[in-house]
Structure formats: C-alpha cells, structure tokens
Amino acid sequence: MKIYLINAAPTIISKDNKKETLFQTSAPPLGLMYLASALKNAGHAVFIVDQPAFNLTNEEVIEFIKKKDPDVVGFSTLCASFENVKEISKELKKWNPNLSIIVGNYLATFYAHNILTKYDWVDICVRGEGEKTAPEILNRLESNKDLSEVEGISYRSNGKIIENKDRPLIKDLDSISFPDRKLLPAFYKNRIGGVDITKRKFATMVSSRGCPYSCNFCACTAFSKGLWRTRSVDNIIDEISMLSDEGYREILFIDDNFTLNQKRINEFCIKIRKQNLDIVFIGDGRVNNGSVELFKTLKKANFEILMFGIESSSQRVLDSYNKKITPEMSRTAVNNARKAGFKFLVGTFMIGAYDETYQEAIDTLKFISSLDIDFPHIIFTRALPGTQIFNELIKKKIIDEEQFWETGVDIIDLPGSKMNREVIFKIIKDQFHLKFFRPKYIMKAFTRTLISKYRREIIFNHLNLRDINKFVKIINNPPDLF
Ligand code: B12
C-alpha cells in the first residue's frame, strides 16, 4: 500500500482571535520516521510530509497529497497541530472517500473515542507506540481483513466505534529499526529560543523511552505507563556511527529522561569516546541527577549543551507539580555542570500554576536571573490532555473537558487562577532582558566564548546583522510566551 505520513503544523490563536499556523523547523518528526522504517520493512511505500518544515499551507498539503493519490494518510496528532490535522484530513476524505485516515501520537492515544465520535472522516486511531501497530493495520487493509485483532487501535466499523485492547509497550527497543531520516531533507537545525545554534548537520535521537517520574504536567508518564526502557549502548552507538558516516555533526537526545541511569551514561560515554567521532551531543536531565561526576563524564564525551527542567523556585509550586526536586537541587546541578566544564546551559521554566501567586512568579524570575545558565526557556504552565493536572482540574470542575480536550489550556486562563495573563506577562517581559544585559552575565558569556570552541562556532555562525537583531528581539520579547 502507499501511505503518506503527515506532521501537521502547530497553530496558535493570534491576538485578533485568528488561527495562525506556525512554521518552524526545530526538530524532525522522529516518530513518523520510526513508523516509516517499520512500514517499509512490511513492504509498504512510505513518504513523509513535514508541513511546518516546508512552510506548506493546508491547501498546499491537500493539493500535494491529491497528486500523489495514496491509499492511506497518517497524521501525527499533538494538541498544537490538531486544528490543521482536522482541516487537511477532512478535505482529503471529501476528495477520496476510500482514502483511509489514520491518526496517532499523544492526542490520538488519550482521546481516541472523542476523535472518532466527533470527526466521522477519521477511520482509525493508533494508541501508543506505532511501530508494530501501523504495519499490522496496513497489511489487513491491503488484504481486506477486519481490524478486530489489531491491538492498540480504536476504529470505526459499520458505524460503531470499536476499541481494541491496548498493545503492550515494545520491550526490546533494539528490535525497532532505526528511523528513516532519508525521507526528509537534512535541513533541520538545532534551535534554541527560535535561533539556529550551529550550521552543523543536525539530527535528533531517542536512546530510551518513557520516564519513571510522574510530574503531573507531563503526558509522557501516561503514554509510557510510567516505565523507562533503554536501548543497549551498542545499539545506540551503531545508530550514531551510521549518522556520522552520513555527515551528521550534531545530535540532540530527545529522551524523556536521558540521564536517569548513571551506569548507562558511563558505558555510553566510554564507548562513544573510543569512536572518536566529530559529533557534538546535546542532552537534558533532571536536576536530581546532578553530580559533577555525571557531568564530567558527559563533557568528556563531547556533550556541549545541557538542558534542565527547573520549572520554578517555589517549593510549594514544585510539589504541586509532583516534580520531586528542590530549587537548591537546581542551583547545585547548574553549578556542578559548570564545574564539569559545560559552557552552554539551558533551563526550562513554567509560570502560571493554578494557585501560583505573583510573588512566587516574581521570585522565580529573580531565581532565573541568579542562576548561572545561558538561556531560560519560559512557558505558561499548560494543562494538556492525558496529563494528571488536566484530569485533576476536570475533577475539580475547573476545566470543562468538552471545551479543552483537543487543545489543552494555559492554566493561567482558567477561572479562579491567582494571576492575570496580561499582568504577569508584562512583569515577565519587563524582567526578562534584565538577565541578559547584566554585566556579570556578559562577562561570563564573553570569557566562556573565548575558552569554548563550540561557543565560538555559535558566535561566528551568527555574526551578521540579521541574527544580532533577532537575538536583541528575543532578549526583549520572551519567545515562548506569545
Ligand atoms: C521532539 C519533541 C518536539 C519537537 C518535534 C515534535 C514533532 N513533531 O515530532 C518540537 C521541538 C518541534 C516540539 C514542539 C512542541 N511540543 Co513537543 N515533544 C517532543 C518530544 C520531546 C519527543 C517527540 C518524539 O520524537 N518522540 C519519540 C518518538 C519515537 O515517539 P512519538 O513521537 O511519540 O511517536 C510514536 C507514537 O506517538 C506513534 N505515532 C506518532 N505519530 C504517529 C502518527 C501515526 C499515523 C501513527 C499510526 C502513530 C504515530 O508512533 C511513534 C513510534 O512509536 C515529546 C515527548 C515524547 N516523549 O514524545 C514532546 C511532546 C510531544 N511535545 C509536546 C508539546 C506540548 C509541544 C509544543 C506544543 C511545545 C510548545 N509549547 O511549543 C510544541 C508543538 C509542536 C507541534 N508540532 O505541535 C507534548 C505534547 C502533548 C500533547 N498532548 O500534545 C509532548 C508529549 C511533551 C510532554 N511532555 O507533554 N516537540
């Protein structure tokens, strides 16, 4: 069968309440590339369309698919891109009623029944991992067999919605074929705060799946049933060597919890150093895994950027997220990473928990300014479908599930939340740039750039007016809060 896999572009509702499609190419749709390998191994013809990366409008995607005339179209459904998924899939089904429309990823996993009930042009929802499920579906569609035996799907049959039992998570991750990255041009760039960091050929990888922690704002726990599974270090290195041969020079690990197992990290770093590859690695980790030893091991293995989920400086807010860290742990992890020689650190923060006060939010901004990090990524806390925080707020009748199951909602916009979006946004906007222009920050940034070959590469990569203007704009307009 011929299948097109579509990574639809995210949308936002702009100030004048219009739907605006965001075109950004920050990371390749790895999930679809994994699916593509599995479907190809099963003998199907597979292609991927990454709408945001190609700046395609919905109309252009629809016209493109009509020309290709596939048997099946599969969509990655995340809350941010579901609007465009609906619009594109509806038009395609109208054009060819025999076209099978399959949706997968987080939203399809947590709200399959709602999707099939409300959108009658969607035929099948794949819940959970798709590498085993998708080939089974296409093999059965191809031989006109029914889908009753296919685990991990919800589908429509004779007007009824059938929910087959969950498919167990894939135990042996080494059994999964490497993602087929060749289905899309290698034009993705490692992007932080909307800025391409280097010119290096860039790829993302997952070396493990899932996370044993249960932060209530994160959907990964429910998606991977609280389990953490890892690939063998040799399997990970085989993929990296292959990428190295294909000219990749920068790899971002997008694991849910990359540094969970120190023993694994040690084995990986020892073995990858023996390969002596000219590849820079980027990883993220929890601050409670923040020892100097761990960071030294990563630094020696050519990790150049570390990202920490710090979230807030209020212990009360951190506990309300069930994050199981303290602000002290965050500061220690940052300082330990510096001691280990890291010259580029990113912290991610959330402001706007339901009962978070202005004082707590302001304290977090001051905390950000006091931390020795290079870039803070700040977003408003969002209650996303499938997360504990979303379900808790539904139970408390603060979130109307019917209204928000497709999109999620920024908690700050909910009735009864302690802060007002405009007020706290202005505070953040006014405080944000103070961090960057502070002399101590500039001095450190300058000396670190003198020492770090990677930082010099980044700077020389942006020594042009366009990027300098962009950087100044970012400093004055916190990127992710719009
Ligand atoms: C890398 C990443 C990104 C990248 C790339 C996203 C992309 N298009 O792939 C970038 C940086 C662009 C990104 C942006 C955002 N992201 Co993000 N991202 C991730 C992250 C860390 C890894 C995704 C990944 O590649 N996983 C590895 C692959 C192997 O797994 P997978 O993608 O889940 O795919 C498997 C299954 O889901 C399924 N599947 C997936 N697609 C399809 C399609 C079909 C047809 C089928 C059958 C099966 C199927 O099969 C795949 C193989 O098993 C996830 C966390 C996570 N663990 O998944 C968050 C995550 C997906 N992101 C999330 C969010 C909220 C966002 C943003 C809204 C953040 C923001 N505020 O801007 C934006 C919006 C992006 C958008 N396009 O809508 C949430 C989504 C929650 C939700 N309910 O929608 C997640 C789950 C993080 C979280 N903890 O909650 N993200």
Side-chain angles (χ1 to χ4, degrees), residues 48-59:
I48 300 180
V49 175
D50 189 348
Q51 181 186 10
F54 287 86
N55 291 354
L56 299 168
T57 61
N58 290 355
E59 293 66 34

Side-chain angles (χ1 to χ4, degrees), residues 7 26 31 35 75 79-80 105-106 126 129-131 218 223 254 256:
N7 183 42
S26 54
L35 279 184
F75 291 86
C79 295
N105 216 324
Y106 276 62
V126 169
E129 294 170 323
E131 286 92 344
C218 175
F223 190 89
I254 54 171
D256 301 323

Side-chain angles (χ1 to χ4, degrees), residues 303-354:
F303 279 74
E304 284 289 353
I305 302 181
L306 276 184
M307 301 187 271
F308 294 117
I310 297 173
E311 322 307 356
S312 174
S313 68
S314 154
Q315 192 61 55
R316 196 189 65 75
V317 171
L318 288 171
D319 294 347
S320 78
Y321 290 148
N322 192 28
K323 180 78 188 187
K324 295 200 172 20
I325 63 169
T326 67
E328 291 66 40
M329 281 179 185
S330 298
R331 190 181 298 287
T332 307
V334 167
N335 295 343
N336 284 351
R338 291 298 189 195
K339 282 190 198 125
F342 274 92
K343 301 284 183 290
F344 202 127
L345 298 177
V346 175
T348 60
F349 303 86
M350 296 193 301
I351 283 182
Y354 191 63

